[in-house]
Amino acid sequence: MKELLSGNEAIARGAYEAGVKVGVGYPGTPSTEVLENFAKYPGIYAQWSPNEKVSLEVGIGASLAGARVLVTMKHVGVNVAADPLFTLAYTGVNGGLVLLTADDPGMHSSQDEQDNRYYARFAKIPMLEPGDSQEAKEMIGLALEISETFDTPVMLRTTTRVAHSKSLVEISDPVKVELKPYQKNAKKYVMVPGNAKLRRLAVEERMKKLAEYSESVSVNFIDRGDRKVGIITSGISYQYVRELLPEASILKLGMTNPLPEKLIKDFASGVEKLFVVEELEPFIEEQLKIWGIEVTGKDLFPAIGEFNTDLIKDKFIAAGLLPAEEAQKEAAAAGEAPVAPGRPPVQCPGCPHRGVFYTLRSLKLVVTGDIGCYTLGAAPPLEAIDTTICMGASIGMALGMEKAVPEMHKKTVAVIGDSTFFHSGITGLVDVVYNQGNSTVIILDNRTTGMTGHQENPGTGRNLLGQEAPAIDIEKLARALGINRVTTVDPLALEELKKVIQEEVAAGEPSVIIAKRPCALLSREKGAAYQVNKEACNGCKKCQRLGCPSLSFLKEEKKAMVDPITCVGCGLCAQVCKFGALTQRGESNA
């Protein structure tokens, strides 16, 4: 039986069919849906952890206990998990362990591009790369077999296009995999220097065996065609190449670390002109050049951004592999279609973060930001956020600013979401207390992990399986860490919010403000929409500074307008209007 599945759904299915017992991760686009789908299967355990490092550590524990394990994260999450990952490469596993890294070429929802194939090479562990949903499902089972056969964690790398595109997948019944017995083995699992030095040698022996295995593994295969042109490729790029050059000879690499040297050299010697088509870094190309193989790669194809068929086609035309005339006809035909208008990201109507950013902008404060929906507070017209680096960075950066320039502590605040605070903001707050900073931290607590699609976190009172769980009280936690000044406010009550921020920034000690209100997309209560009294509106546009998508401005009439369909009645616009021109439907402004 076949089903239409996304790459993420297929990986979840593959894990279930292959007997994975424990799935653990931290939500991050484009990886999030893997665990959400895996959690629906019977007889398994799945959880969100506070961050990727903890996720992998939970996974390692489950593996050593004898279970097959899937650990998921997006590409930047592997940076957080790198510490246990590199030592796990030494210890090896008991039950098979697969680490999914979902890379994001083109940065659709990420702060950077990074090619995590280098992590596999750096950590000296195998790397598999599926090119569609069927391969994504099959490679989970293969990765677990490799993991247990060679006693190693295995990385499975998807990209956004594979993770979110759908294709037909053959569904099978799950196999029954017995737990492996746990065996105490300090020389293998206790990485003090004396033991680690021995495991270092074991890693090198393992890589030699994996290199031999890579020569014949089924996911490395050749589509033999015209020998004038040979293409070596991996992942989603294989689909683009096969579509554009169906007659060419193609070496598709599903296992990209370690690379199959003999297979590649044989393929290269059998074609007249060799190309490597790979997204982001010249990972394969570099190794070919080290082996002395003449190849065209990043001289032709960019190392920045996401590939697509149009981009690859243009490059093949430039290389003389495709005729320009046919491309011109297609371009002319495509030109007849209207171009989709650009749509910048924007906070939702009723978003509780909007009031915070409006207030911070009005107070002209320096704002160190973090990763999440609140990143949108940097965009016009709010323009409240000064910095965004990575998960949890906001609090440490605010501390660093005041340590460098003491006067800045009365001009600076850090903003961070509730899920991000649990991810890695807690340690930053500990640092503020320990090093006697005066930082003001605003935790935007919307009771969910918003940007990735409303996943639960340690503060929401539920876990990934939908069960009730203890909800960690952020206010009590902050006080327990040593913060004396902790205030909870409603971010939609602008006057109170402004007063609290002013007081805490002026205070001579660290403080935490919890701006608490549920995400507007979670709240089922929708208030009556607002409307504009055109006689009272003088066209000052102050309400437009909120950046609410329900508000617009009629140029000819020079009046504000509210879209009653999208307005949720949060009331921010009425609070910023000095002329009483905005009232809730059913109210009178007389």
Side-chain angles (χ1 to χ4, degrees):
M1 181 180 69
K2 290 188 175 181
E3 290 186 12
L4 190 62
L5 299 179
S6 70
N8 282 346
E9 292 168 333
I11 290 169
R13 180 70 198 186
Y16 173 61
E17 289 183 8
V20 168
K21 185 72 175 177
V22 175
V24 55
Y26 183 80
T29 305
S31 71
T32 307
E33 298 83 6
V34 174
L35 274 195
E36 289 181 326
N37 283 280
F38 180 69
K40 298 174 184 175
Y41 291 112
I44 58 87
Y45 173 75
Q47 72 165 54
W48 295 126
S49 287
N51 65 34
E52 296 84 356
K53 178 175 179 290
V54 176
S55 299
L56 182 54
E57 290 161 347
V58 171
I60 293 170
S63 168
L64 299 193
R68 285 189 162 187
V69 179
L70 173 65
V71 183
T72 71
M73 57 195 67
K74 67 182 296 179
H75 62 293
V76 291
V78 180
N79 303 330
V80 183
D83 195 2
L85 174 64
F86 278 64
T87 304
L88 176 63
Y90 278 37
T91 66
V93 301
N94 186 21
L97 187 147
V98 178
L99 171 59
L100 170 77
T101 168
D103 293 8
D104 190 13
M107 293 176 283
H108 295 280
S109 59
S110 306
Q111 65 268 43
D112 65 33
E113 286 184 325
Q114 68 182 47
D115 190 329
N116 278 0
R117 291 179 296 180
Y118 286 99
Y119 262 116
R121 181 179 290 171
F122 194 10
K124 294 180 179 290
I125 59 176
M127 164 69 79
L128 301 181
E129 289 187 74
D132 58 24
S133 297
Q134 180 69 46
E135 278 197 340
K137 194 203 82 161
E138 292 173 353
M139 283 191 182
I140 281 288
L142 176 63
L144 289 163
E145 289 179 16
I146 294 173
S147 177
E148 293 176 350
T149 301
F150 293 92
D151 189 18
T152 178
V154 177
M155 289 187 80
L156 181 76
R157 177 189 185 240
T158 61
T159 55
T160 305
R161 201 59 49 183
V162 173
H164 290 166
S165 296
K166 290 200 172 189
S167 59
L168 287 173
V169 176
E170 186 70 40
I171 301 300
S172 304
D173 292 330
V175 297
K176 187 173 182 179
V177 178
E178 299 292 339
L179 291 174
K180 291 190 171 186
Y182 171 74
Q183 293 183 331
K184 186 178 179 70
N185 188 344
K187 287 188 175 180
K188 188 170 186 285
Y189 298 126
V190 180
M191 286 301 94
V192 294
N195 294 337
K197 288 175 182 176
L198 295 175
R199 293 302 302 173
R200 177 74 180 87
L201 298 175
V203 169
E204 292 304 317
E205 285 300 313
R206 183 178 70 204
M207 289 305 291
K208 288 179 183 177
K209 294 176 182 175
L210 282 165
E212 294 174 6
Y213 174 79
S214 182
E215 299 286 352
S216 59
V217 67
S218 61
V219 294
N220 292 338
F221 61 85
I222 295 173
D223 289 339
R224 185 65 70 185
D226 187 345
R227 293 179 183 271
K228 291 182 179 178
V229 177
I231 310 285
I232 299 177
T233 187
S234 66
I236 190 67
S237 297
Y238 167 71
Q239 307 294 351
Y240 303 147
V241 171
R242 194 173 66 168
E243 178 180 334
L244 293 168
L245 296 178
E247 305 301 324
S249 291
I250 304 172
L251 170 54
K252 160 74 161 60
L253 295 174
M255 185 172 183
T256 47
N257 193 61
L259 288 168
E261 181 176 359
K262 184 177 184 301
L263 179 64
I264 289 174
K265 286 183 174 178
D266 288 348
F267 178 78
S269 64
V271 297
E272 295 178 18
K273 182 70 175 176
L274 183 64
F275 296 82
V276 170
V277 180
E278 55 185 330
E279 279 183 322
L280 298 183
E281 302 298 325
F283 180 83
I284 300 171
E285 179 187 350
E286 284 179 346
Q287 189 58 57
L288 266 62
K289 289 181 175 176
I290 290 172
W291 289 334
I293 300 173
E294 185 176 346
V295 62
T296 298
K298 292 304 174 186
D299 290 343
L300 185 63
F301 302 99
I304 299 173
E306 185 182 33
F307 285 1
N308 55 54
T309 50
D310 288 339
L311 183 150
I312 301 297
K313 181 166 59 181
D314 289 344
K315 299 303 178 184
F316 282 160
I317 291 170
L321 303 183
L322 285 174
E325 297 78 9
E326 191 65 27
Q328 289 173 350
K329 291 179 185 177
E330 292 184 14
E336 297 172 1
V339 178
R343 191 183 66 171
V346 64
Q347 290 175 306
C348 304
C351 175
H353 302 340
R354 181 172 285 108
V356 175
F357 293 129
Y358 178 84
T359 303
L360 293 175
R361 171 83 187 276
S362 69
L363 293 173
K364 296 182 171 57
L365 293 169
V366 175
V367 181
T368 55
D370 228 289
I371 303 292
C373 290
Y374 30 94
T375 307
L376 300 173
L382 293 167
E383 297 179 304
I385 302 290
D386 288 71
T387 68
T388 301
I389 300 297
C390 66
M391 299 281 279
S394 58
I395 302 176
M397 291 181 69
L399 177 64
M401 284 184 172
E402 68 164 280
K403 290 297 183 183
V405 184
E407 297 78 16
M408 286 193 73
H409 93 81
K410 294 188 177 181
K411 302 176 182 176
T412 306
V413 298
V415 295
I416 188 169
D418 49 336
S419 183
T420 315
F421 178 69
F422 290 120
H423 177 280
S424 47
I426 295 174
T427 47
L429 194 58
V430 169
D431 199 20
V432 170
V433 174
Y434 178 63
N435 286 300
Q436 302 174 65
N438 294 306
S439 305
T440 298
V441 177
I442 303 177
I443 299 174
L444 303 175
D445 183 0
N446 63 358
R447 303 280 85 198
T448 189
T449 311
M451 182 163 267
T452 49
H454 299 130
Q455 288 72 39
E456 307 294 347
N457 68 52
T460 62
R462 289 198 174 272
N463 62 26
L464 176 56
L465 299 175
Q467 302 162 337
E468 289 189 7
I472 295 177
D473 188 317
I474 295 177
E475 182 170 338
K476 290 181 179 177
L477 175 61
R479 292 188 186 280
L481 293 178
I483 303 292
N484 297 316
R485 300 179 67 93
V486 182
T487 309
T488 299
V489 296
D490 181 350
L492 296 185
L494 292 184
E495 284 301 319
E496 181 194 6
L497 177 67
K498 183 177 182 179
K499 176 175 174 289
V500 169
I501 293 174
Q502 287 176 316
E503 289 176 353
E504 298 310 317
V505 170
E509 61 179 295
S511 59
V512 168
I513 301 169
I514 303 169
K516 188 173 183 178
R517 181 174 273 264
C519 171
L521 297 180
L522 287 181
S523 176
R524 296 182 179 180
E525 296 181 7
K526 179 181 176 181
Y530 277 73
Q531 60 188 347
V532 177
N533 181 333
K534 293 186 178 180
E535 293 183 0
C537 178
N538 73 346
C540 71
K541 293 187 176 180
K542 191 168 184 180
C543 58
Q544 306 295 306
R545 297 177 194 170
L546 288 166
C548 177
S550 297
L551 288 164
S552 58
F553 191 76
L554 303 172
K555 291 183 180 178
E556 293 182 355
E557 298 182 36
K558 297 183 178 178
K559 304 290 181 185
M561 189 186 84
V562 178
D563 176 6
I565 303 299
T566 58
C567 176
V568 299
C570 74
L572 281 182
C573 56
Q575 294 180 62
V576 304
C577 178
K578 294 182 178 178
F579 305 99
L582 286 148
T583 57
Q584 216 159 6
R585 290 177 182 266
E587 285 184 352
S588 170
N589 65 343

